[in-house]
Amino acid sequence: MTPEELKGALKRQLNPRRAEWQKPAALVRALRLRRGQVVAEVGSGPGYFTPRLARAVGPSGHVYAVDPEAAVLDVLRQRLKQAGVRNVTPVLSRDDDPMLPQGRCGVAIIINAYHHMHGRVAFLRRLASRLPRGARVINVDWDERTEKGPPPKRRVPRTKFLRDARRAGLRLVADRAVLPHQYFLELRR
Ligand SMILES: C[S@@+](CC[C@H](N)C(=O)[O-])C[C@H]1O[C@@H](n2cnc3c(N)ncnc32)[C@H](O)[C@@H]1O
């Protein structure tokens, strides 16, 4: 990622006006996180959601914020420090491996990130293999029918994601209408 690309990504992702369509409070509520839970935020970016997730699980819980871009994680670290958030571990992952500790995270949350990934099924398989049986995986990504969002050919329609998820051993438990432009799919390992 060039410095220019990083600047553009930060501006887009941390823009306060994003709340108008992203509705972060509603999204985090829909995740139904409990205090004390250990969660993985896969593709955290600079952490638009991270402090909110950290608050939802509380000081006895923990968030592993996973991203393969070192520069983005540097920004995340600074933001967490400024905000005094202490229950987050940033994880420098690989394109094909979330690098999560084995069996520790009861929930994996992927927001606006799946359509950025390469080797998606292999990645999901590896993610699933690091989660305990019964863990939840939640994927939020652009609906194929909405006008807002990236060009259609860069999106991953829900049917395609669900095919990938099945191949990775994940089963759909809920498809919930939470956001105006994005699907919210909840699966279990
Ligand atoms: C559009 S950003 C979304 C960031 C954040 N989830 C949000 O909604 O603000 C997508 C992020 O996914 C990350 N990403 C791309 N491929 C990935 C992979 N294989 N594993 C984990 N994260 C990945 C990118 O580095 C980027 O930070």
Side-chain angles (χ1 to χ4, degrees), residues 11-139:
K11 198 168 162 202
R12 271 193 311 278
Q13 289 168 37
L14 300 176
N15 185 340
R17 295 202 59 184
R18 182 176 165 188
E20 290 165 16
W21 57 268
Q22 187 67 87
K23 305 196 179 304
L27 199 164
V28 172
R29 241 187 341 267
L31 294 171
R32 297 179 186 161
L33 298 177
R34 291 191 313 273
R35 297 185 86 70
Q37 271 187 321
V38 179
V39 309
E41 184 189 12
V42 179
S44 65
Y48 180 78
F49 282 102
T50 317
R52 293 172 167 97
L53 302 178
R55 243 192 328 272
V57 296
S60 60
H62 203 80
V63 178
Y64 289 91
V66 171
D67 205 283
E69 288 286 345
V72 154
L73 287 186
D74 286 343
V75 177
L76 172 68
R77 276 191 204 92
Q78 280 166 22
R79 297 186 66 243
L80 293 172
K81 195 167 168 201
Q82 272 163 15
V85 177
R86 303 165 72 97
N87 56 339
V88 176
T89 302
V91 178
L92 181 62
S93 61
R94 297 199 322 228
D95 278 343
D96 63 349
D97 190 338
M99 305 292 280
L100 284 167
Q102 189 65 42
R104 199 154 141 62
C105 299
V107 189
I109 301 157
I110 314 170
I111 305 175
N112 303 332
Y114 193 71
H115 73 275
H116 286 272
M117 293 180 189
H118 308 286
R120 295 178 182 133
V121 179
F123 182 87
L124 273 189
R125 270 202 191 109
R126 205 158 250 161
L127 171 64
S129 77
R130 296 275 157 77
L131 304 176
R133 200 162 284 284
R136 293 191 296 144
V137 175
I138 287 143
N139 184 34

